[in-house]
Structure formats: structure tokens, C-alpha cells
Amino acid sequence: MGVASHLGRRSPSVGTRGRIPHQQRTPCRIPGGGRGRRVRTPLLSAAALLTAGTAWIGVTAFLGRHELEVARAESEQLRTQLSAGQLTSARATAAGLHRHTWRAQALTAGPAWALGAHVPILGRPLVVARGLAQASEELAGRAIPQAIAAATRIGPGRLRSADGRIDLATLRQVEPAVEAVAASVRRAAAITESLPPQTWLHPLDRAAATAQIEVGKLRRVATQAVTVSRILPTLFGEGHPRTYFVAFQNDAEARGTGGLPGAFAILQATDGRLEFKNFYPDTELAGVSADVNLGEAYDTLWGKGVTENIYVNSNISPHFPDAARIWAAMWRQKTGQVVDGALALDPETLSYLLAVTGPAALPDGEQVTAANVVELTQNSSYLRFGADSAGRKQYLIDVARVVAQKLTAAHGAEAGLLEAVVRAAGARRLMLWSADPALQADIERLPVSGSVPQTTAPYAALTVINDGGNKLDYYLDRSLRWEATTCGATRAVTVTVELRNSVPADISSPWITARSDHPEYPVRPGDNRVLVYYAATDGAQLVSATLDGHRQFIGSGIERGHPVFSLDVELPRMQARRIVLNLLEPAGPDTPIVPEQPLVRPMQISLAQHRCE
């Protein structure tokens, strides 16, 4: 009962203060109080929705992360299965991978995520998480199934017939699938590249950066695969035969593209059938000159006549197409035959291939294996044959012939052989050139081209050329350190090159240690001599150069836009020499391209960049 009701009631006795009855406590009404209640209700509802939405995002983010972690593990398993040619298992793994990426994408695609992603600053991690899930779903749902479909078409036993012929029609049939893979990878790359560069959640930033790098690599590989699928049938003689000059390089005596060109062969490809017509020693081209014009810059840097008149010096330049053109011109001069292209490979490439096919047997039963082919051809053969140069050359030809026969007869190992070829091409140990300008333009986009790139990107290339006429580069250790400090539009670059002649004390055979350069200063058996070339970034200028701390006069030239600085270095047995080049280069955000010259021992590379303080 309200206060007003009590006041309106008559008192029980006039003049007597009666007991005031207990009043019912009713809150006072404040003007506008009804509106306050109406305002608080939607605010409370919004808060409840926000809390629920935040909780939902947190839960789904946790679940989505779990799905992507499982997907990453399955992708590694899938890679292993595809490399091993286990296509049935790969299909099952790919299906599971797709389920997990689909769930991750679905978990991050709801309205809570869509709204949260639009919140300034705070919503950036949601944008990144959604993008990573979408990119993963794109790859797992589209690229991977198409890749497996292509692999199934060219799987074991399907690409080569019983007579060893490669089925070029099947190769043509996989082109659409390869192009579909590349298109899907491009879409995934576009998603990862559009993500915010930085959020307040650093682990997610690292995940996004890693994804951009990995998908970027996939895009390059997929783009290259499209080119390969398009040109491979033509290279294999689709429509008409194609003939190739094949040089076997000996990395124990360094040249620009790797090692000295020794034995060589003529290979013919006819509608998918590969046949080595004949094998020759390097002496077959003795006294033969190449009528080829490689340009004034080439002649200035590498010396006209040195490369075009002497086969074993024809690949001093690291730009493989130059050497290939010289070989083609020499063979035409020698025989009148015009080749359609040229290849070069070294014993390390043979080891990759023999690891897939198994050993090859020489006529006397000796086994040439992945484990011994490098040592047999580049070291022990000189000890075995000594002064019998003709016998050693024939032995090397026999090795090349039996390995070639093993490769052309291999069945069911296409996936492994392809992986070995890709590995060798990536290491510049297998190189290809075509005399057809259109084909060569496509090859130039691939690692197998062996080309010095024409680019303004940062560049650091070390080339060592044997000048002692020996086989001591089998024991050559190399390291290159590139260190830059950027200040404005230029940066100071310090390049440190260390070379060590690590020939063991028990190596004394003159067929390995001999010096054919006849130096005017005294040398000991095992001492070596090398020409060192360093190619820098386009626009770089040399400030100073030292050898073991002593200032040096450096030769210079230009190759495909890169300034090249050279130095003649005596390399005593079991000693190291240090070259330091100080340069000024145009500033750039990227680390340099560092192509490694393929020799017996790998080069140690270290890169560092600093900012001005």
C-alpha cells in the first residue's frame, strides 16, 4: 500500500497521535526513469553478445589452430608420399588434409569473425587468422587434388612404354592439371600477400610471414612447372628429332659453369625416345674453333680466342648459354652437324640419378654407384691410370656410357628421376640450352638454364677458375661472407672470400698436382693457382681490395649488367688466402642472390645486413 493511501485514511482518535502504520517502500519515480531502463536493456544485450562473440572467437580460434596444425603435419606426410610415388596413400592423406583445412576455414568464417575483423587494430589478428585458413583451404581443396591427378597420369609405368619411349601424348594431357595447380597457388599467394604486415599478436605475425615465404616458393615452383609441362614434349622430339651436345664436366678442375668440359656425347630425342649416338673424349675437339660472336663485353672480360679456340676453356664464363653456343659452333665446324641444343652435367648429377636407378656395371664388372661415381671420375682415375691418358679418357667414357644406358632403360622410377633432375638443376649441376630462341626464352625462366640473371636485385657471385692446369680443385674449400650497412640510397658492402687448398699430404701424383702454367716463381708439388672473379650488384663500385691484408690491383669488366672484379691468386698447399672487397652499392631491402658455382666441395655462405646508427 502506498504512502498516499495512508494519508487519505481518517485517524482513529482525534487529537491523539496514533501509531503510524508501516509504510510500503516504493521507490521514487524520477522523471525519465522509464527511458533509462529501456536504454540499459539493449546495452546489456550488446555486452552479452560481445562477450559471447569474443568467447566464440576464442573457442573457434583454438579449434581452428588445432585443425591447421594437424593439416601441416599431414602436408609433410603427403610430400613424402608423393616423392616416393605412393599415390594411393597420398590421395587418402590429401582427403584428410582437406577436411582439416575446410574445418579451419569454416570455424573462422562466421559472423563473429566477420564483425571482429573490422575492429580497428584489435581485429587485425582475426584478418590474418582468416586469411591463413582461406589460403590453406585453397591449396588443400584445389591445388593438391589437381597435383595428385597429374602425378597419377604420369605415375610409375604410365609415362614410358616397354621400349623406353616417353609417352608425349600423356605429357600433353597433364598440362591442364598443372595449369590449374598454378592458378590455385596464385590465388593462395594473393591471399597471404594481402594480409596485414603486423598485428599485436606476434606469434600470428610469424606464422603469416612463414606462410608468405612458403606459398611464394610454391608459386615459383608451380609457375616453372607450367613452363616445363609446355616445353618438355618439344624438347623430347615431338614432331621431329632433336639433337643435343652433352658435355660431362670435371669439377676437379674449376671452370665458370662448374668444371672443365671433358668427355662429351651426342644425344638424339625422337618422339620421346632418347638415344646416345656416340661418346667422345675431349681431344675430339682439339684444334677446333668456334665461329661465334658473344659480344664486346664478353671478349673484354673473358678474352677472345681463349674460350672460342680451346674446348677445355670454353666454359670459363659462368653464363652457361655462352658455353653452349661455343660447343654447338665447334661441333658444326668439326662435323657439319647442327645441334638443336646443349646440356652439361657433372658426376654429382650422376650420383643423384644412380641413387634412383641403382648401380651401373662397367664392362669388367666394376660397379659405378651413387656413393663412388664422384670419387672414381674426378680423383682415383688419375691415380689408377697415371701416364696412360688415353686409358683414363676411355674409362671416363665407359662410365658415362653405362650410366646413360642405366638411365634410358629405367622403368617405374620416373618420379625419383624427376626429383633428381630438379635437384641437380637447382644446384646448377645440370644445365640446358636450346638453339631455338622461343624455347630458350622459356628455358631462361628455369633454374636449368644456368644463366647469369640480368637483374638490379642485390647480387653476389663468386667464380673460381683453375689456372694451374691440375686437378687440385677436388680439394678446394671456399667461403663467402657478404655484409652490408645501409645508409640512405647507398650501402657499404664488405665481401670476404676465403680459399683454402686442402690437398692431403699423401697426394703426390703429378697427374693431380702438376702445374701447366709454368710460373716464374718457385712452387711446390700441390700448390695451386686460381683466378677469382666476383660479380656484384648492378651499379656497384669497388672502393678497395686486399689479399691477406695487402692492397691489390683488381681487374674489372661487365657481365650481363653486373660489375665483375678479378684477381690472380697463388694458393699454396694446405694454406688459406683471404680476399676482402669493399664496395658501394645501390641500397635495397633484399638479401642478395648468391648463385653457387658447383664444385666438389660446397661453398660456405653467410649474409648480414645492418642499418646506420
Side-chain angles (χ1 to χ4, degrees), residues 5-14:
S5 301
H6 286 291
L7 292 176
R9 180 181 293 178
R10 179 178 293 180
S11 176
S13 56
V14 178

Side-chain angles (χ1 to χ4, degrees), residues 122-450:
L122 295 177
R124 286 184 178 179
L126 304 188
V127 175
V128 172
R130 293 181 78 195
L132 293 178
Q134 290 167 359
S136 299
E137 160 63 9
E138 174 66 43
L139 293 174
R142 293 178 176 83
I144 291 175
Q146 291 285 1
I148 293 176
T152 301
R153 281 187 174 274
I154 59 174
R158 298 193 177 192
L159 188 58
R160 300 184 71 178
S161 59
D163 63 355
R165 185 188 303 271
I166 297 171
D167 188 346
L168 301 185
T170 298
L171 283 180
R172 287 295 184 199
Q173 290 170 4
V174 303
E175 284 186 56
V178 175
E179 290 173 354
V181 170
S184 177
V185 173
R186 285 195 299 270
R187 288 192 292 269
I191 293 171
T192 60
E193 290 170 357
S194 68
L195 299 179
Q198 189 173 8
T199 74
W200 49 267
L201 197 57
H202 299 311
L204 196 59
D205 292 345
R206 289 193 293 270
T210 300
Q212 288 174 351
I213 293 171
E214 291 180 350
V215 178
K217 290 178 180 177
L218 280 177
R219 179 172 57 185
R220 288 191 293 273
V221 171
T223 301
Q224 292 169 0
V226 170
T227 300
V228 170
S229 68
R230 185 175 67 252
I231 69 174
L232 207 54
T234 302
L235 293 173
F236 282 155
E238 182 183 54
H240 66 86
R242 290 184 176 268
T243 304
Y244 299 95
F245 184 101
V246 183
F248 298 95
Q249 297 189 149
N250 185 345
D251 300 333
E253 186 172 343
R255 293 293 187 270
T257 63
L260 171 145
F264 63 94
I266 301 300
L267 171 67
Q268 188 171 79
T270 307
D271 287 328
R273 183 192 297 278
L274 302 179
E275 183 181 4
F276 284 90
K277 290 297 185 179
N278 212 339
F279 292 79
Y280 303 91
D282 56 5
T283 52
E284 186 73 13
L285 291 176
V288 179
S289 296
D291 181 15
V292 58
N293 181 9
L294 299 175
E296 184 179 347
Y298 178 96
D299 294 341
T300 299
L301 185 59
W302 304 113
K304 184 173 179 62
V306 174
T307 62
E308 295 141 351
N309 298 328
I310 306 173
Y311 171 64
V312 294
N313 286 337
S314 55
N315 61 338
I316 286 179
S317 165
H319 185 57
F320 176 68
D322 288 343
R325 289 177 62 190
I326 292 173
W327 297 341
M330 283 184 169
W331 187 245
R332 182 177 65 246
Q333 179 68 23
K334 172 74 175 181
T335 66
Q337 183 180 26
V338 177
V339 296
D340 297 288
L343 293 97
L345 65 158
D346 66 1
E348 192 71 30
T349 299
L350 299 183
S351 76
Y352 301 161
L353 298 170
L354 288 171
V356 179
T357 65
L362 290 168
D364 63 358
E366 181 182 6
Q367 297 291 300
V368 181
T369 70
N372 69 15
V373 65
V374 172
E375 197 275 338
L376 282 178
T377 56
Q378 298 185 135
N379 190 249
S380 64
S381 61
Y382 294 94
L383 301 174
R384 179 187 303 187
F385 289 94
D388 183 8
S389 177
R392 178 178 54 80
K393 292 178 186 293
Q394 185 58 51
Y395 175 77
L396 296 177
I397 287 176
D398 289 343
V399 170
R401 179 180 285 110
V402 298
V403 173
Q405 291 170 349
K406 190 76 175 180
L407 294 173
T408 54
H411 291 279
E414 289 82 5
L417 290 174
L418 177 60
E419 188 173 351
V421 166
V422 170
R423 180 184 177 189
R428 295 172 59 87
R429 295 186 180 277
L430 174 65
M431 293 168 284
L432 169 67
W433 167 80
S434 173
D436 182 334
L439 272 177
Q440 180 59 20
D442 281 328
I443 292 170
E444 290 278 353
R445 301 187 182 101
L446 305 173
V448 76
S449 73

Side-chain angles (χ1 to χ4, degrees), residues 48-65 103-116 126 130:
L49 286 173
L50 179 61
T51 302
T54 303
W56 175 254
I57 289 173
V59 171
T60 51
F62 174 80
L63 295 175
R65 178 184 176 185
R103 290 170 186 163
Q105 194 272 338
L107 286 165
T108 59
W113 281 79
L115 290 172
L126 304 188
R130 293 181 78 195

